[in-house]
């Protein structure tokens, strides 16, 4: 790894493993993403972002 190069190790989800454990891991990941977004966005801007991302579904 050279200077300025960063790698993120992503765990592959084993289809044969426990579905509840995989759901737990996904839940923890989503909670971490939520906390990071709340650091940078106030609730009004976060609502606008969600509306923008889901506008095509309405």
């Amino acid at each position: 790894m050279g200077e300025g190069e960063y790698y993120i190790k992503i765990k592959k989800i084993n289809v044969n493993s426990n579905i509840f454990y995989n759901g737990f891991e996904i839940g923890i990941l989503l909670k971490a993403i939520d906390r990071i977004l709340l650091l940078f966005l106030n609730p009004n801007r976060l609502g606008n972002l969600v509306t923008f991302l889901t506008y095509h579904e309405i």
Side-chain angles (χ1 to χ4, degrees):
M1 208 170 14
E3 184 177 332
E5 292 182 23
Y6 300 97
Y7 295 95
I8 298 174
K9 187 175 182 180
I10 299 175
K11 179 183 173 187
K12 289 185 178 182
I13 296 175
N14 185 0
V15 177
N16 296 327
S17 67
N18 190 348
I19 192 166
F20 295 112
Y21 181 74
N22 289 337
F24 174 76
E25 284 188 337
I26 291 170
I28 295 296
L29 178 64
L30 291 175
K31 186 170 184 170
I33 291 170
D34 178 51
R35 296 295 177 187
I36 292 170
L37 284 176
L38 286 176
L39 288 174
F40 298 107
L41 299 173
N42 63 27
N44 188 31
R45 293 179 87 187
L46 187 58
N48 289 340
L49 176 64
V50 170
T51 302
F52 173 75
L53 293 174
T54 60
Y55 183 74
H56 66 282
E57 297 292 330
I58 298 175

